[in-house]
Amino acid sequence: MKLLLFLLVVFIALTAIVSGSLMINDPDGSTLDLSVNLLSSTPFKNFLVPGIILTGLVGGMNLLAVFYNLQRNKNRYNWAMAGGFLLCGWILLQMFLINVTHWLHFIYMGTGILVILIAYQINGKWAV
């Protein structure tokens, strides 16, 4: 379970940082094959700010969880849970703002929920 949690947090950190960086470097979304029209119902004109948020918050929090896990810090599972909650919040807010659902939303929402549940169980709060 600990290895699975670690791999999931690494996966989230890497994909969030890479995707967010691509949105920052190419705010019109063409590199990721995203249309700026997706943002018509949001306060954003391009993908720059969402890319910064994705990289900094979601990617950064999960990268901290990876770092603390490698150090075997006593709070490493709390950091993993925080990263999972940020990912789920990011996905929910994204689906709400753009009024579109994509299969990747379900993959990442499931991954975030799985991280939260595994970290919660390993942390000793819930025993199966």
Side-chain angles (χ1 to χ4, degrees), residues 29-112:
S30 59
T31 301
L32 292 172
D33 199 27
L34 298 172
S35 170
V36 180
N37 293 334
L38 283 172
L39 301 174
S40 63
S41 61
T42 73
F44 309 112
K45 295 182 188 212
N46 59 36
F47 291 100
L48 178 65
V49 174
I52 292 169
I53 295 169
L54 180 60
T55 302
L57 287 181
V58 179
M61 179 64 73
N62 282 284
L63 192 60
L64 278 173
V66 169
F67 175 72
Y68 286 127
N69 196 316
L70 289 172
Q71 285 190 331
R72 301 205 182 271
N73 183 293
K74 66 177 183 167
N75 292 318
R76 64 187 177 264
Y77 304 121
N78 293 332
W79 285 97
M81 275 192 283
F85 278 116
L86 266 176
L87 175 62
C88 290
W90 168 262
I91 295 298
L92 286 173
L93 186 63
Q94 186 181 57
M95 290 183 348
F96 175 74
L97 286 176
I98 65 173
N99 297 317
V100 173
T101 55
H102 189 271
W103 61 270
L104 281 172
H105 288 127
F106 298 106
I107 298 293
Y108 279 95
M109 181 64 78
T111 304

Side-chain angles (χ1 to χ4, degrees), residues 20-33:
S21 297
L22 289 173
M23 291 193 311
I24 293 167
N25 289 332
D26 189 12
D28 70 353
S30 59
T31 301
L32 292 172
D33 199 27

Side-chain angles (χ1 to χ4, degrees), residues 8-21 54-55 59 87 108:
L8 289 172
V9 173
V10 167
F11 171 75
I12 295 167
L14 287 176
T15 57
I17 290 169
V18 169
S19 311
S21 297
L54 180 60
T55 302
L87 175 62
Y108 279 95

